[in-house]
Amino acid sequence: MSEIKITGQKRLVIVTGRAHPQLAEDIARELETEIVHTDARTFANGEIYARYDESVRGCDAFVIQSHTSPINEWLMEQLIMVDALKRASAKRITVVSPFYPYARQDKKGRGREPISARLVADLYKAAGANRIMSVDLHAAQIQGFFDGPVDHLFAMPVLLEHFQRQLDPATLTVVSPDMGRVRVADIWSDKLGAPLAIIHKRRDPLIPNQVSVHEIVGEVAGRVCLLVDDMIDTGRTIVKAAEALKANGATAVVVAATHAIFSDPATEILQSEYIDSVVVTDTLPVPEEKRWDRLTILPIAPLIARAIHEVFDDGSVTSMFDGAA
């Protein structure tokens, strides 16, 4: 029997689902590595199959998938890919979901409702994931749904860098579109050196994607208003907020969001006269037909790649955001 060699070297493996392959390619380029090819296909009856073209035994694997429409298909594909890695003896499996699926269903608002965000975490664990990495979770408590490490990344540094070059803090007001985003908007106002305003709104729990704006707390008249949110779905909520700001004397409304879900008819709605520009990241794919001249898409790959590097090297993901070790 030949002598066993112990090298102690870890091996990084990046694999991707079919939802947003460009993002995975950008991440791999940042890491100066290549994506391990997956033979992924969907059978005639809708069942999904995935097999890796090379050995993944003993590797540190990162499974990248963006949960765009059809979200259930891409979630299932990612679970199957994780299961394939587990059964192929990967040493550690990290689910990279820049946009966490079902994140808005994080609690029971009424009786007999599911907590689907918890269910997704349980599915990841059952499939064999050791770790989850996501960007701007809709609710921070989702971190507690998974029985293992959750790397909660923030897109704020990416967006802030853009706005620090584009906007003058002397005429700027940061606006929270609802009470739930006040803490995040407060950090934005602190970083940009601009005052904070809050929109108080009411949402009918029986009617999804619709909201009625009530009152604005803070000074917005004669100012450029930066509306900050974690996601834009149909765009109706954000346009209502922009309309209220313009009605109260705002000179311009700029919208910043991490996740561009852009469910139809978002593209048409967001081209409203009340919105001067929209800035998002590419955590989700934005096809050409959903782009317009006042939309700016910032790359999220450098941020995710750095976090993957820190996890792989047993470094500190926290230090990426607040300098703490």
Side-chain angles (χ1 to χ4, degrees), residues 165-221:
R165 294 195 307 265
Q166 300 286 328
L167 301 175
D168 179 8
T171 58
L172 181 67
T173 294
V174 175
V175 182
S176 171
D178 56 47
M179 298 304 291
R181 308 305 295 172
V182 171
R183 183 175 170 274
V184 173
D186 191 37
I187 298 168
W188 273 81
S189 72
D190 191 45
K191 299 274 188 186
L192 289 168
L196 175 68
I198 303 161
I199 294 176
H200 174 61
K201 69 178 185 183
R202 290 190 187 275
R203 190 188 292 274
D204 187 340
L206 300 177
I207 306 173
N209 299 114
Q210 285 201 24
V211 69
S212 56
V213 172
H214 281 252
E215 58 191 45
I216 295 169
V217 181
E219 189 58 52
V220 298

Side-chain angles (χ1 to χ4, degrees), residues 81-150:
M81 292 176 72
V82 169
D83 186 74
L85 282 165
K86 175 181 72 177
R87 296 178 192 281
S89 302
K91 190 172 185 180
R92 180 171 67 173
I93 303 166
T94 301
V95 159
V96 182
S97 296
F99 172 67
Y100 189 93
Y102 288 88
R104 282 173 284 186
Q105 297 183 37
D106 62 295
K107 59 183 178 295
K108 285 179 67 170
R110 296 182 297 151
R112 301 180 297 282
E113 283 185 340
I115 304 180
S116 306
R118 168 62 194 261
L119 173 62
V120 169
D122 289 343
L123 288 169
Y124 281 142
K125 182 184 178 184
N130 306 108
R131 192 180 195 105
I132 293 176
M133 185 179 291
S134 193
V135 182
D136 283 347
L137 289 168
H138 187 66
Q141 72 223 35
I142 291 171
Q143 295 172 83
F145 293 168
F146 186 72
D147 188 19
V150 176

Side-chain angles (χ1 to χ4, degrees), residues 254-277:
V254 179
V255 175
T258 304
H259 308 298
I261 302 172
F262 289 177
S263 302
D264 289 332
T267 304
E268 290 75 23
I269 289 171
L270 291 166
Q271 293 182 60
S272 159
E273 60 183 310
Y274 303 113
I275 294 177
D276 294 87
S277 64

